Amino acid sequence: MCGRFVSTVGPADLVDLVNELRWDPAEVLAPSWNVAPTDPVPAVMQRVDRSTGELEHRFRPLRWGLVPSWSKDASGAARLINARSETVDQKPSFRRAFAARRCVIPADGYFEWRPVPAGDGRKAFKQPYYLTTGTTMLMAGLYEFWKDPAVPEDDPAAWLTTACILTRDATDSAGRVHDRMPVVIAPDDLALWLDPTVSDRSDLHHLLNLPADGEMAVRAVSTTVNRVGTNGPELLDRVEDPLGIADH
């Protein structure tokens, strides 16, 4: 968890949640109903404007899968898509980003899978479920800048900006499907979470333990979502639940 999610939210949809949000129209991503590791993901962060020296909220795409700044190469990014909130400030791969490079990744909801045993003439398989609060979920994330040592520093291709999603113990209905869930930042807590001058875990601890804003709805969906290349709103269509854990 979390290994796939849905994001159809653009920056214009976030202006009521994020004060004075700025973005480059050329960087706005198309909606995706099957975001997978190493895909570009939308993110909101707070950065210093080079021309004014002031902090500003920026919307920009990042590659999903964190590459720590000290990595020799980017090959491990697909493994670092999530970070456990309980230890994020201690792990070498995440602690620098946690201290100063926090972001939120807006999502409509996310997918999880549960194994279904063989029976009734069928083979064992993993049943996908879609979990959502029905509102935009601002998933807590971290981001990093990585410089490719093989490319000259003044070449834009030398720099890779990547992100991961923080997770926590699942609560309420989300716990029916998986024991982990994304950390979701409430709109009122955005200013604190995104502030790069706040680095002490004690100031952020309570944000890492808040449940999602609203009860999670759980829906069984087609195994078509298992194929990374598939996309479209039909992936969210409800199907019969073989385990009986989805909402009706």
Side-chain angles (χ1 to χ4, degrees):
M1 190 289 113
C2 163
R4 301 277 186 86
F5 66 93
V6 177
S7 185
T8 66
V9 180
D13 302 311
L14 300 172
V15 293
D16 291 336
L17 299 177
V18 185
N19 293 330
E20 299 182 2
L21 181 62
R22 298 183 181 183
W23 67 89
D24 181 348
E27 293 184 333
V28 176
L29 299 172
S32 177
W33 289 266
N34 197 1
V35 183
T38 74
D39 282 352
V41 297
V44 174
M45 61 189 67
Q46 196 170 35
R47 301 286 297 170
V48 174
D49 183 274
R50 293 182 180 180
S51 60
T52 66
E54 297 181 354
L55 286 171
E56 65 175 16
H57 291 112
R58 297 286 301 182
F59 178 98
R60 61 173 296 183
L62 308 176
R63 196 175 84 164
W64 189 16
L66 195 82
V67 179
S69 59
W70 42 261
S71 296
K72 293 182 179 180
D73 57 55
S75 61
R79 297 192 301 271
L80 297 181
I81 61 170
N82 294 156
R84 295 178 67 91
S85 61
E86 297 89 344
T87 57
V88 67
D89 60 332
Q90 304 166 31
K91 299 295 184 180
S93 295
F94 307 115
R95 61 190 179 197
R96 291 182 183 178
F98 179 75
R101 288 179 290 279
R102 298 180 300 274
C103 64
V104 290
I105 297 172
D108 303 56
Y110 65 99
F111 297 102
E112 287 294 356
W113 283 258
R114 282 282 297 271
V116 178
D120 297 327
R122 71 178 179 225
K123 295 181 179 180
F125 70 102
K126 288 188 176 181
Q127 172 62 48
Y129 293 88
Y130 177 61
L131 295 88
T132 180
T133 61
T135 60
T136 298
M137 299 170 61
L138 300 176
M139 300 188 297
L142 309 177
Y143 66 97
E144 267 287 14
F145 299 101
W146 178 76
K147 163 69 173 59
D148 187 340
V151 181
E153 187 165 348
D154 58 354
D155 186 336
W159 292 93
L160 182 65
T161 311
T162 60
C164 68
I165 295 169
L166 271 63
T167 67
R168 51 159 294 178
D169 285 339
T171 58
D172 302 325
S173 53
R176 285 186 247 152
V177 185
H178 197 277
D179 61 353
R180 303 291 292 179
M181 65 184 293
V183 173
V184 177
I185 302 298
D188 289 345
D189 294 320
L190 266 181
L192 176 60
W193 176 252
L194 297 179
D195 189 344
T197 67
V198 176
S199 60
D200 194 328
R201 181 186 173 90
S202 62
D203 294 327
L204 302 166
H205 178 75
H206 69 286
L207 304 186
L208 303 177
N209 293 281
L210 291 175
D213 185 17
E215 176 74 8
M216 284 281 189
V218 179
R219 181 189 313 165
V221 295
S222 169
T223 55
T224 304
V225 74
N226 297 356
R227 298 191 293 273
V228 173
T230 60
N231 214 315
E234 65 278 4
L235 295 180
L236 305 186
D237 289 347
R238 189 184 304 274
V239 301
E240 184 177 352
D241 179 15
L243 297 176
I245 61 175
D247 298 315
H248 299 289

